[in-house]
Amino acid sequence: MVFSWLRLTELDCGLMLQPWLRDIRRNGDRDVIRSGVRMWSVLAPLGPYFPDLLTPPEGSLGLGSALDAIRSTPRHRLKDEFRLLDDVRPTPSWTRPVAAGDGAALLELTEAMARYHGAVVEPYTSMIEEAVETDRVHRTGVAGDVDALLRGMWPLMNWRAPVLEVQYACDRDLHLNGRGLRLVPSYFCRGTPVAFADPGLPPTVVYPLHHDWTWQRQLASGRRQEGALAALLGTTRSAVLAAVGAGATTTELAERLGASPSSVSRHTTVLREAGLLTTERQGLSVLHQRTLLGSALLGNN
């Protein structure tokens, strides 16, 4: 939600988000979206700071858990973070009860967030989760280890052990001191990764995911899916889908199945057009990975 309002208001939200933006403009609840954008423009203005309390770790458990966490934010933290926000950009009077920890004001705020989420994010949840999962599987599957994973974050981040460098408006150092670092791919984040402002919170970096699984491809595959899925009834293509596992190149699939690379390539093309595989070039090879839909078809969810 924090990043989505920026994509709604900028002149160029990026090619990959254009179908999402067009659908919202055509079918979205305009009143809810307008009021939500006004709210988020105050709470998370474009700039070097917005309150960490707006993105609680409990959000990994779902929207309800995130909103519960926001409503339960200790008063001293509300006061401190809204003071920092006010230093960046003066906040309107309606934020005062929120910053003071007024229960009714916090409830009203989170209800407004839920309405905005229902209009801008929730209708597109499956698409967003698909893109996030594709990014996660690709990065972890290709990397093989943490060092390779971090090196693979270039150009978003520059890994020069033991330092992970990220370009951002604020110059700061975050020392892990033995703590782990959580990397969170974000569908609506653009440009540079973002970290929590408070160094005492669990170290987290939110980064723009790689839009390999695009809205254009998803929508196009939806139109082709009926005919393409019918082609999947053959045993060979089912075997190809199963043999992909966590990821495989065309050559690896050919070796696993005892088939020719050209034959495998024809089958992976059909699977990709059905929305069951993604394919990305890795040097002279191409890496195939199952989508959530492909895994669900095999019963691997």
Side-chain angles (χ1 to χ4, degrees):
M1 287 191 285
V2 168
F3 292 126
S4 67
W5 87 264
L6 295 170
R7 306 292 81 86
L8 286 172
T9 56
E10 62 192 358
L11 294 177
D12 176 19
C13 77
L15 177 64
M16 301 307 174
L17 295 181
Q18 284 298 324
W20 163 79
L21 185 61
R22 285 196 299 269
D23 190 73
I24 282 182
R25 288 174 174 171
R26 186 184 305 116
N27 302 312
D29 188 322
R30 296 184 180 182
D31 291 337
V32 169
I33 293 171
R34 276 197 294 264
S35 62
V37 166
R38 287 195 297 268
M39 172 187 68
W40 286 112
S41 67
V42 170
L43 298 177
L46 181 62
Y49 177 79
F50 64 85
D52 291 326
L53 64 91
L54 298 175
T55 53
E58 291 85 351
S60 63
L61 302 177
L63 178 65
S65 297
L67 298 183
D68 286 343
I70 292 174
R71 286 191 292 267
S72 302
T73 305
R75 291 192 175 189
H76 69 85
R77 183 178 173 188
L78 286 164
K79 179 181 177 181
D80 290 344
E81 294 194 11
F82 270 91
R83 177 180 53 79
L84 291 172
L85 178 61
D86 200 53
D87 289 341
V88 172
R89 179 178 297 180
T91 54
S93 59
W94 65 261
T95 64
R96 304 292 182 265
V98 176
D102 180 81
L106 284 167
L107 177 60
E108 184 178 353
L109 176 66
T110 53
E111 287 178 345
M113 291 179 179
R115 289 192 295 272
Y116 175 85
H117 185 275
V120 173
V121 179
E122 186 176 357
Y124 313 98
T125 298
S126 61
M127 307 292 186
I128 294 170
E129 289 179 346
E130 185 77 54
V132 169
E133 179 67 4
T134 297
D135 185 272
R136 185 193 67 79
V137 170
H138 170 75
R139 293 186 186 279
T140 56
V142 172
D145 58 48
V146 173
D147 187 71
L149 171 67
L150 295 177
R151 283 189 282 105
M153 285 292 179
W154 173 264
L156 292 173
M157 312 175 205
N158 184 23
W159 172 237
R160 293 196 286 191
V163 178
L164 183 64
E165 298 175 341
V166 179
Q167 294 294 324
Y168 196 60
C170 297
D171 186 14
R172 57 179 293 212
D173 294 325
L174 175 61
H175 298 278
L176 298 183
N177 295 323
R179 299 175 294 174
L181 176 65
R182 187 181 189 194
L183 297 170
V184 180
S186 168
Y187 194 87
F188 295 109
C189 183
R190 285 188 73 190
T192 61
V194 180
F196 285 138
D198 184 355
L201 293 173
T204 302
V205 172
V206 178
Y207 67 90
L209 60 77
H210 176 59
H211 281 273
D212 176 70
W213 187 257
T214 65
W215 284 89
Q216 289 92 333
R217 183 184 300 174
Q218 179 71 37
L219 295 176
S221 69
R223 291 191 294 268
R224 295 190 297 261
Q225 197 163 334
E226 182 176 355
L229 285 177
L232 291 176
L233 295 177
T235 57
T236 303
R237 289 194 183 109
S238 297
V240 171
L241 186 63
V244 168
T249 66
T250 300
T251 301
E252 288 171 337
L253 286 174
E255 292 175 350
R256 293 173 186 178
L257 298 169
S260 68
S262 60
S263 174
V264 168
S265 182
R266 288 195 298 272
H267 293 307
T268 56
T269 297
V270 175
L271 292 166
R272 183 171 61 251
E273 290 181 347
L276 304 178
L277 289 182
T278 61
T279 300
E280 182 168 334
R281 181 162 294 280
Q282 299 288 320
L284 298 177
S285 302
V286 291
L287 178 71
H288 306 288
Q289 293 176 312
R290 281 198 300 263
T291 65
L292 291 179
L293 179 60
S295 294
L297 189 63
L298 291 172
N300 292 335
N301 275 359

PDB file of all heavy atoms in Angstrom, residues 141-171:
ATOM      1  N   GLY A 141      16.870 -19.962  -6.407  1.00  0.00           N
ATOM      2  CA  GLY A 141      17.210 -21.142  -7.194  1.00  0.00           C
ATOM      3  C   GLY A 141      18.469 -20.969  -8.002  1.00  0.00           C
ATOM      4  O   GLY A 141      19.290 -21.880  -8.112  1.00  0.00           O
ATOM      5  N   VAL A 142      18.645 -19.776  -8.585  1.00  0.00           N
ATOM      6  CA  VAL A 142      19.825 -19.525  -9.399  1.00  0.00           C
ATOM      7  C   VAL A 142      21.058 -19.317  -8.531  1.00  0.00           C
ATOM      8  O   VAL A 142      22.162 -19.745  -8.858  1.00  0.00           O
ATOM      9  CB  VAL A 142      19.596 -18.283 -10.305  1.00  0.00           C
ATOM     10  CG1 VAL A 142      20.876 -17.888 -11.013  1.00  0.00           C
ATOM     11  CG2 VAL A 142      18.506 -18.579 -11.314  1.00  0.00           C
ATOM     12  N   ALA A 143      20.877 -18.655  -7.375  1.00  0.00           N
ATOM     13  CA  ALA A 143      22.025 -18.274  -6.553  1.00  0.00           C
ATOM     14  C   ALA A 143      22.742 -19.484  -5.971  1.00  0.00           C
ATOM     15  O   ALA A 143      23.947 -19.624  -6.107  1.00  0.00           O
ATOM     16  CB  ALA A 143      21.558 -17.350  -5.426  1.00  0.00           C
ATOM     17  N   GLY A 144      22.014 -20.351  -5.312  1.00  0.00           N
ATOM     18  CA  GLY A 144      22.636 -21.529  -4.725  1.00  0.00           C
ATOM     19  C   GLY A 144      23.178 -21.295  -3.327  1.00  0.00           C
ATOM     20  O   GLY A 144      23.175 -22.185  -2.505  1.00  0.00           O
ATOM     21  N   ASP A 145      23.679 -20.104  -3.026  1.00  0.00           N
ATOM     22  CA  ASP A 145      24.143 -19.786  -1.682  1.00  0.00           C
ATOM     23  C   ASP A 145      23.954 -18.298  -1.442  1.00  0.00           C
ATOM     24  O   ASP A 145      23.613 -17.537  -2.352  1.00  0.00           O
ATOM     25  CB  ASP A 145      25.606 -20.198  -1.476  1.00  0.00           C
ATOM     26  CG  ASP A 145      26.544 -19.539  -2.483  1.00  0.00           C
ATOM     27  OD1 ASP A 145      26.457 -18.315  -2.681  1.00  0.00           O
ATOM     28  OD2 ASP A 145      27.378 -20.249  -3.073  1.00  0.00           O
ATOM     29  N   VAL A 146      24.164 -17.876  -0.192  1.00  0.00           N
ATOM     30  CA  VAL A 146      23.899 -16.493   0.187  1.00  0.00           C
ATOM     31  C   VAL A 146      24.800 -15.522  -0.571  1.00  0.00           C
ATOM     32  O   VAL A 146      24.359 -14.472  -1.027  1.00  0.00           O
ATOM     33  CB  VAL A 146      24.062 -16.311   1.716  1.00  0.00           C
ATOM     34  CG1 VAL A 146      23.949 -14.831   2.096  1.00  0.00           C
ATOM     35  CG2 VAL A 146      23.020 -17.125   2.461  1.00  0.00           C
ATOM     36  N   ASP A 147      26.074 -15.872  -0.712  1.00  0.00           N
ATOM     37  CA  ASP A 147      26.998 -14.984  -1.404  1.00  0.00           C
ATOM     38  C   ASP A 147      26.555 -14.756  -2.847  1.00  0.00           C
ATOM     39  O   ASP A 147      26.531 -13.616  -3.331  1.00  0.00           O
ATOM     40  CB  ASP A 147      28.407 -15.575  -1.377  1.00  0.00           C
ATOM     41  CG  ASP A 147      29.448 -14.612  -1.939  1.00  0.00           C
ATOM     42  OD1 ASP A 147      29.743 -13.602  -1.274  1.00  0.00           O
ATOM     43  OD2 ASP A 147      29.948 -14.865  -3.047  1.00  0.00           O
ATOM     44  N   ALA A 148      26.160 -15.820  -3.533  1.00  0.00           N
ATOM     45  CA  ALA A 148      25.693 -15.691  -4.916  1.00  0.00           C
ATOM     46  C   ALA A 148      24.372 -14.936  -4.974  1.00  0.00           C
ATOM     47  O   ALA A 148      24.132 -14.156  -5.906  1.00  0.00           O
ATOM     48  CB  ALA A 148      25.545 -17.070  -5.543  1.00  0.00           C
ATOM     49  N   LEU A 149      23.508 -15.161  -3.986  1.00  0.00           N
ATOM     50  CA  LEU A 149      22.236 -14.440  -3.930  1.00  0.00           C
ATOM     51  C   LEU A 149      22.471 -12.938  -3.838  1.00  0.00           C
ATOM     52  O   LEU A 149      21.865 -12.152  -4.578  1.00  0.00           O
ATOM     53  CB  LEU A 149      21.420 -14.911  -2.730  1.00  0.00           C
ATOM     54  CG  LEU A 149      20.153 -14.104  -2.406  1.00  0.00           C
ATOM     55  CD1 LEU A 149      19.121 -14.259  -3.505  1.00  0.00           C
ATOM     56  CD2 LEU A 149      19.578 -14.535  -1.064  1.00  0.00           C
ATOM     57  N   LEU A 150      23.355 -12.527  -2.956  1.00  0.00           N
ATOM     58  CA  LEU A 150      23.617 -11.095  -2.774  1.00  0.00           C
ATOM     59  C   LEU A 150      24.316 -10.503  -3.993  1.00  0.00           C
ATOM     60  O   LEU A 150      24.026  -9.373  -4.390  1.00  0.00           O
ATOM     61  CB  LEU A 150      24.451 -10.872  -1.509  1.00  0.00           C
ATOM     62  CG  LEU A 150      23.746 -11.252  -0.194  1.00  0.00           C
ATOM     63  CD1 LEU A 150      24.693 -11.049   0.991  1.00  0.00           C
ATOM     64  CD2 LEU A 150      22.469 -10.434  -0.006  1.00  0.00           C
ATOM     65  N   ARG A 151      25.233 -11.244  -4.594  1.00  0.00           N
ATOM     66  CA  ARG A 151      25.879 -10.756  -5.823  1.00  0.00           C
ATOM     67  C   ARG A 151      24.858 -10.618  -6.948  1.00  0.00           C
ATOM     68  O   ARG A 151      24.959  -9.732  -7.796  1.00  0.00           O
ATOM     69  CB  ARG A 151      27.016 -11.681  -6.226  1.00  0.00           C
ATOM     70  CG  ARG A 151      28.291 -11.490  -5.397  1.00  0.00           C
ATOM     71  CD  ARG A 151      29.474 -12.254  -5.952  1.00  0.00           C
ATOM     72  NE  ARG A 151      29.413 -13.680  -5.623  1.00  0.00           N
ATOM     73  CZ  ARG A 151      29.099 -14.640  -6.457  1.00  0.00           C
ATOM     74  NH1 ARG A 151      28.809 -14.346  -7.721  1.00  0.00           N
ATOM     75  NH2 ARG A 151      29.068 -15.896  -6.065  1.00  0.00           N
ATOM     76  N   GLY A 152      23.846 -11.492  -6.933  1.00  0.00           N
ATOM     77  CA  GLY A 152      22.817 -11.449  -7.964  1.00  0.00           C
ATOM     78  C   GLY A 152      21.855 -10.285  -7.808  1.00  0.00           C
ATOM     79  O   GLY A 152      21.015 -10.062  -8.685  1.00  0.00           O
ATOM     80  N   MET A 153      21.956  -9.534  -6.706  1.00  0.00           N
ATOM     81  CA  MET A 153      21.096  -8.377  -6.497  1.00  0.00           C
ATOM     82  C   MET A 153      21.563  -7.154  -7.280  1.00  0.00           C
ATOM     83  O   MET A 153      20.886  -6.130  -7.280  1.00  0.00           O
ATOM     84  CB  MET A 153      21.033  -8.035  -5.000  1.00  0.00           C
ATOM     85  CG  MET A 153      20.176  -8.976  -4.195  1.00  0.00           C
ATOM     86  SD  MET A 153      18.428  -8.804  -4.618  1.00  0.00           S
ATOM     87  CE  MET A 153      17.692 -10.045  -3.557  1.00  0.00           C
ATOM     88  N   TRP A 154      22.726  -7.245  -7.906  1.00  0.00           N
ATOM     89  CA  TRP A 154      23.191  -6.141  -8.746  1.00  0.00           C
ATOM     90  C   TRP A 154      22.202  -5.946  -9.903  1.00  0.00           C
ATOM     91  O   TRP A 154      21.706  -6.913 -10.455  1.00  0.00           O
ATOM     92  CB  TRP A 154      24.596  -6.454  -9.274  1.00  0.00           C
ATOM     93  CG  TRP A 154      25.093  -5.466 -10.286  1.00  0.00           C
ATOM     94  CD1 TRP A 154      25.028  -5.568 -11.643  1.00  0.00           C
ATOM     95  CD2 TRP A 154      25.722  -4.217 -10.009  1.00  0.00           C
ATOM     96  NE1 TRP A 154      25.568  -4.469 -12.233  1.00  0.00           N
ATOM     97  CE2 TRP A 154      25.999  -3.608 -11.252  1.00  0.00           C
ATOM     98  CE3 TRP A 154      26.060  -3.536  -8.847  1.00  0.00           C
ATOM     99  CZ2 TRP A 154      26.603  -2.367 -11.351  1.00  0.00           C
ATOM    100  CZ3 TRP A 154      26.664  -2.303  -8.951  1.00  0.00           C
ATOM    101  CH2 TRP A 154      26.940  -1.736 -10.182  1.00  0.00           C
ATOM    102  N   PRO A 155      21.849  -4.713 -10.291  1.00  0.00           N
ATOM    103  CA  PRO A 155      22.389  -3.425  -9.832  1.00  0.00           C
ATOM    104  C   PRO A 155      21.605  -2.774  -8.697  1.00  0.00           C
ATOM    105  O   PRO A 155      21.897  -1.635  -8.329  1.00  0.00           O
ATOM    106  CB  PRO A 155      22.301  -2.579 -11.093  1.00  0.00           C
ATOM    107  CG  PRO A 155      21.057  -3.064 -11.740  1.00  0.00           C
ATOM    108  CD  PRO A 155      20.999  -4.541 -11.485  1.00  0.00           C
ATOM    109  N   LEU A 156      20.601  -3.481  -8.134  1.00  0.00           N
ATOM    110  CA  LEU A 156      19.855  -2.906  -7.016  1.00  0.00           C
ATOM    111  C   LEU A 156      20.738  -2.701  -5.802  1.00  0.00           C
ATOM    112  O   LEU A 156      20.585  -1.728  -5.053  1.00  0.00           O
ATOM    113  CB  LEU A 156      18.689  -3.826  -6.644  1.00  0.00           C
ATOM    114  CG  LEU A 156      17.564  -3.955  -7.657  1.00  0.00           C
ATOM    115  CD1 LEU A 156      16.582  -5.035  -7.207  1.00  0.00           C
ATOM    116  CD2 LEU A 156      16.838  -2.623  -7.825  1.00  0.00           C
ATOM    117  N   MET A 157      21.652  -3.647  -5.597  1.00  0.00           N
ATOM    118  CA  MET A 157      22.557  -3.611  -4.453  1.00  0.00           C
ATOM    119  C   MET A 157      23.924  -4.085  -4.914  1.00  0.00           C
ATOM    120  O   MET A 157      24.031  -4.824  -5.887  1.00  0.00           O
ATOM    121  CB  MET A 157      22.052  -4.507  -3.316  1.00  0.00           C
ATOM    122  CG  MET A 157      20.596  -4.324  -2.958  1.00  0.00           C
ATOM    123  SD  MET A 157      20.045  -5.522  -1.710  1.00  0.00           S
ATOM    124  CE  MET A 157      18.275  -5.579  -2.064  1.00  0.00           C
ATOM    125  N   ASN A 158      24.939  -3.662  -4.202  1.00  0.00           N
ATOM    126  CA  ASN A 158      26.303  -4.048  -4.535  1.00  0.00           C
ATOM    127  C   ASN A 158      26.910  -4.788  -3.342  1.00  0.00           C
ATOM    128  O   ASN A 158      27.115  -4.196  -2.282  1.00  0.00           O
ATOM    129  CB  ASN A 158      27.136  -2.803  -4.872  1.00  0.00           C
ATOM    130  CG  ASN A 158      28.538  -3.173  -5.329  1.00  0.00           C
ATOM    131  OD1 ASN A 158      28.779  -4.286  -5.805  1.00  0.00           O
ATOM    132  ND2 ASN A 158      29.479  -2.250  -5.179  1.00  0.00           N
ATOM    133  N   TRP A 159      27.180  -6.087  -3.527  1.00  0.00           N
ATOM    134  CA  TRP A 159      27.706  -6.921  -2.449  1.00  0.00           C
ATOM    135  C   TRP A 159      29.224  -6.946  -2.529  1.00  0.00           C
ATOM    136  O   TRP A 159      29.812  -7.488  -3.445  1.00  0.00           O
ATOM    137  CB  TRP A 159      27.151  -8.330  -2.550  1.00  0.00           C
ATOM    138  CG  TRP A 159      27.741  -9.343  -1.613  1.00  0.00           C
ATOM    139  CD1 TRP A 159      28.342 -10.515  -1.954  1.00  0.00           C
ATOM    140  CD2 TRP A 159      27.768  -9.296  -0.176  1.00  0.00           C
ATOM    141  NE1 TRP A 159      28.731 -11.206  -0.845  1.00  0.00           N
ATOM    142  CE2 TRP A 159      28.404 -10.476   0.275  1.00  0.00           C
ATOM    143  CE3 TRP A 159      27.336  -8.366   0.771  1.00  0.00           C
ATOM    144  CZ2 TRP A 159      28.598 -10.756   1.623  1.00  0.00           C
ATOM    145  CZ3 TRP A 159      27.522  -8.641   2.118  1.00  0.00           C
ATOM    146  CH2 TRP A 159      28.150  -9.820   2.539  1.00  0.00           C
ATOM    147  N   ARG A 160      29.863  -6.293  -1.554  1.00  0.00           N
ATOM    148  CA  ARG A 160      31.317  -6.336  -1.396  1.00  0.00           C
ATOM    149  C   ARG A 160      31.582  -6.786   0.030  1.00  0.00           C
ATOM    150  O   ARG A 160      31.662  -5.962   0.948  1.00  0.00           O
ATOM    151  CB  ARG A 160      31.935  -4.964  -1.684  1.00  0.00           C
ATOM    152  CG  ARG A 160      31.793  -4.572  -3.151  1.00  0.00           C
ATOM    153  CD  ARG A 160      32.687  -3.439  -3.548  1.00  0.00           C
ATOM    154  NE  ARG A 160      32.214  -2.162  -3.032  1.00  0.00           N
ATOM    155  CZ  ARG A 160      32.711  -0.982  -3.407  1.00  0.00           C
ATOM    156  NH1 ARG A 160      33.692  -0.925  -4.284  1.00  0.00           N
ATOM    157  NH2 ARG A 160      32.222   0.144  -2.909  1.00  0.00           N
ATOM    158  N   ALA A 161      31.641  -8.099   0.191  1.00  0.00           N
ATOM    159  CA  ALA A 161      31.712  -8.699   1.517  1.00  0.00           C
ATOM    160  C   ALA A 161      32.737  -7.989   2.401  1.00  0.00           C
ATOM    161  O   ALA A 161      33.850  -7.713   1.959  1.00  0.00           O
ATOM    162  CB  ALA A 161      32.067 -10.185   1.396  1.00  0.00           C
ATOM    163  N   PRO A 162      32.341  -7.687   3.642  1.00  0.00           N
ATOM    164  CA  PRO A 162      31.073  -8.035   4.300  1.00  0.00           C
ATOM    165  C   PRO A 162      30.029  -6.913   4.258  1.00  0.00           C
ATOM    166  O   PRO A 162      29.168  -6.834   5.140  1.00  0.00           O
ATOM    167  CB  PRO A 162      31.531  -8.265   5.741  1.00  0.00           C
ATOM    168  CG  PRO A 162      32.590  -7.208   5.941  1.00  0.00           C
ATOM    169  CD  PRO A 162      33.305  -7.099   4.598  1.00  0.00           C
ATOM    170  N   VAL A 163      30.087  -6.045   3.250  1.00  0.00           N
ATOM    171  CA  VAL A 163      29.185  -4.894   3.191  1.00  0.00           C
ATOM    172  C   VAL A 163      28.239  -5.014   2.002  1.00  0.00           C
ATOM    173  O   VAL A 163      28.674  -5.282   0.876  1.00  0.00           O
ATOM    174  CB  VAL A 163      29.977  -3.563   3.093  1.00  0.00           C
ATOM    175  CG1 VAL A 163      29.020  -2.377   2.981  1.00  0.00           C
ATOM    176  CG2 VAL A 163      30.886  -3.405   4.300  1.00  0.00           C
ATOM    177  N   LEU A 164      26.940  -4.813   2.245  1.00  0.00           N
ATOM    178  CA  LEU A 164      25.935  -4.742   1.188  1.00  0.00           C
ATOM    179  C   LEU A 164      25.580  -3.269   0.999  1.00  0.00           C
ATOM    180  O   LEU A 164      24.996  -2.641   1.881  1.00  0.00           O
ATOM    181  CB  LEU A 164      24.692  -5.547   1.573  1.00  0.00           C
ATOM    182  CG  LEU A 164      23.575  -5.621   0.530  1.00  0.00           C
ATOM    183  CD1 LEU A 164      24.047  -6.349  -0.730  1.00  0.00           C
ATOM    184  CD2 LEU A 164      22.333  -6.300   1.104  1.00  0.00           C
ATOM    185  N   GLU A 165      25.941  -2.727  -0.167  1.00  0.00           N
ATOM    186  CA  GLU A 165      25.734  -1.306  -0.434  1.00  0.00           C
ATOM    187  C   GLU A 165      24.438  -1.105  -1.215  1.00  0.00           C
ATOM    188  O   GLU A 165      24.173  -1.806  -2.188  1.00  0.00           O
ATOM    189  CB  GLU A 165      26.904  -0.743  -1.238  1.00  0.00           C
ATOM    190  CG  GLU A 165      28.230  -0.833  -0.518  1.00  0.00           C
ATOM    191  CD  GLU A 165      29.394  -0.375  -1.386  1.00  0.00           C
ATOM    192  OE1 GLU A 165      29.211  -0.331  -2.634  1.00  0.00           O
ATOM    193  OE2 GLU A 165      30.457  -0.057  -0.842  1.00  0.00           O
ATOM    194  N   VAL A 166      23.666  -0.106  -0.778  1.00  0.00           N
ATOM    195  CA  VAL A 166      22.406   0.229  -1.431  1.00  0.00           C
ATOM    196  C   VAL A 166      22.372   1.733  -1.650  1.00  0.00           C
ATOM    197  O   VAL A 166      22.634   2.506  -0.726  1.00  0.00           O
ATOM    198  CB  VAL A 166      21.196  -0.204  -0.573  1.00  0.00           C
ATOM    199  CG1 VAL A 166      19.889   0.177  -1.265  1.00  0.00           C
ATOM    200  CG2 VAL A 166      21.231  -1.698  -0.288  1.00  0.00           C
ATOM    201  N   GLN A 167      22.051   2.155  -2.865  1.00  0.00           N
ATOM    202  CA  GLN A 167      21.932   3.579  -3.147  1.00  0.00           C
ATOM    203  C   GLN A 167      20.615   4.106  -2.577  1.00  0.00           C
ATOM    204  O   GLN A 167      19.556   3.567  -2.839  1.00  0.00           O
ATOM    205  CB  GLN A 167      21.972   3.831  -4.656  1.00  0.00           C
ATOM    206  CG  GLN A 167      23.301   3.490  -5.298  1.00  0.00           C
ATOM    207  CD  GLN A 167      24.423   4.402  -4.826  1.00  0.00           C
ATOM    208  OE1 GLN A 167      24.218   5.586  -4.595  1.00  0.00           O
ATOM    209  NE2 GLN A 167      25.603   3.839  -4.676  1.00  0.00           N
ATOM    210  N   TYR A 168      20.708   5.187  -1.784  1.00  0.00           N
ATOM    211  CA  TYR A 168      19.496   5.773  -1.224  1.00  0.00           C
ATOM    212  C   TYR A 168      19.764   7.230  -0.898  1.00  0.00           C
ATOM    213  O   TYR A 168      20.917   7.682  -0.862  1.00  0.00           O
ATOM    214  CB  TYR A 168      19.049   5.008   0.039  1.00  0.00           C
ATOM    215  CG  TYR A 168      17.623   5.307   0.441  1.00  0.00           C
ATOM    216  CD1 TYR A 168      16.568   5.039  -0.432  1.00  0.00           C
ATOM    217  CD2 TYR A 168      17.327   5.868   1.679  1.00  0.00           C
ATOM    218  CE1 TYR A 168      15.257   5.310  -0.070  1.00  0.00           C
ATOM    219  CE2 TYR A 168      16.025   6.143   2.046  1.00  0.00           C
ATOM    220  CZ  TYR A 168      14.986   5.866   1.165  1.00  0.00           C
ATOM    221  OH  TYR A 168      13.690   6.152   1.519  1.00  0.00           O
ATOM    222  N   ALA A 169      18.686   7.964  -0.645  1.00  0.00           N
ATOM    223  CA  ALA A 169      18.809   9.406  -0.424  1.00  0.00           C
ATOM    224  C   ALA A 169      19.545   9.732   0.872  1.00  0.00           C
ATOM    225  O   ALA A 169      20.167  10.791   0.988  1.00  0.00           O
ATOM    226  CB  ALA A 169      17.419  10.048  -0.414  1.00  0.00           C
ATOM    227  N   CYS A 170      19.444   8.839   1.853  1.00  0.00           N
ATOM    228  CA  CYS A 170      20.092   9.074   3.153  1.00  0.00           C
ATOM    229  C   CYS A 170      21.369   8.252   3.250  1.00  0.00           C
ATOM    230  O   CYS A 170      21.398   7.076   2.896  1.00  0.00           O
ATOM    231  CB  CYS A 170      19.160   8.687   4.297  1.00  0.00           C
ATOM    232  SG  CYS A 170      17.660   9.664   4.377  1.00  0.00           S
ATOM    233  N   ASP A 171      22.415   8.868   3.763  1.00  0.00           N
ATOM    234  CA  ASP A 171      23.682   8.180   3.971  1.00  0.00           C
ATOM    235  C   ASP A 171      23.701   7.622   5.386  1.00  0.00           C
ATOM    236  O   ASP A 171      23.695   8.380   6.366  1.00  0.00           O
ATOM    237  CB  ASP A 171      24.838   9.160   3.763  1.00  0.00           C
ATOM    238  CG  ASP A 171      26.199   8.465   3.824  1.00  0.00           C
ATOM    239  OD1 ASP A 171      26.213   7.224   3.765  1.00  0.00           O
ATOM    240  OD2 ASP A 171      27.213   9.166   3.952  1.00  0.00           O
TER     241      ASP A 171
END
